[in-house]
Amino acid sequence: MAGPEWIDFVNKEANKGTALTKIAEMKGIPKDEVLAFGDYLNDYTMLEAAGLSYAMVNGHPDLKAIADEIAPSNNEEGVMQVLRHLFD
C-alpha cells in the first residue's frame, strides 16, 4: 500500500517479464508454451515475454495494443473463460 510515508525499493531489472522468462528457463518450458494474462502496465513486460498473451478487455489500452488476444473482463472471470476454452 502506498502513502505519504511509504517508499518502495525495487531493482530496475526486476519485472514480471524477467521473472517469467527465468522461471520458464528453469523449468525447461519453451516460450511458445508460455501463456500470460494482464490488465495493467505492470504486466507489460510479462505479456512481451509470453508466447501467447492476453490482455483483459477492461485492461489498459497500451497493454491491449501489444497483446495477442483480448480476454473477457476480470469481473466475468475472463482468465477462467480463456483457460476453459483452451484446455477443454
Side-chain angles (χ1 to χ4, degrees), residues 5-83:
E5 298 176 11
W6 191 277
I7 298 173
D8 286 329
F9 292 93
V10 180
N11 182 318
K12 65 182 178 179
E13 301 298 320
N15 60 60
K16 291 181 179 185
T18 56
L20 183 62
T21 299
K22 184 65 174 175
I23 291 168
E25 288 173 358
M26 290 170 53
K27 297 293 186 180
I29 302 169
K31 181 178 179 172
D32 65 341
E33 293 183 18
V34 175
L35 173 65
F37 294 86
D39 63 354
Y40 202 68
L41 296 177
N42 63 324
D43 299 320
Y44 197 98
T45 58
M46 180 176 61
L47 294 195
E48 288 182 314
L52 180 58
S53 61
Y54 282 84
M56 310 313 288
V57 72
N58 59 314
H60 192 281
D62 291 349
L63 201 65
K64 292 195 293 187
I66 66 152
D68 297 313
E69 303 286 343
I70 304 298
S73 78
N74 298 330
N75 296 331
E76 299 173 76
E77 298 182 350
V79 172
M80 287 306 301
Q81 285 190 47
V82 171
L83 292 176

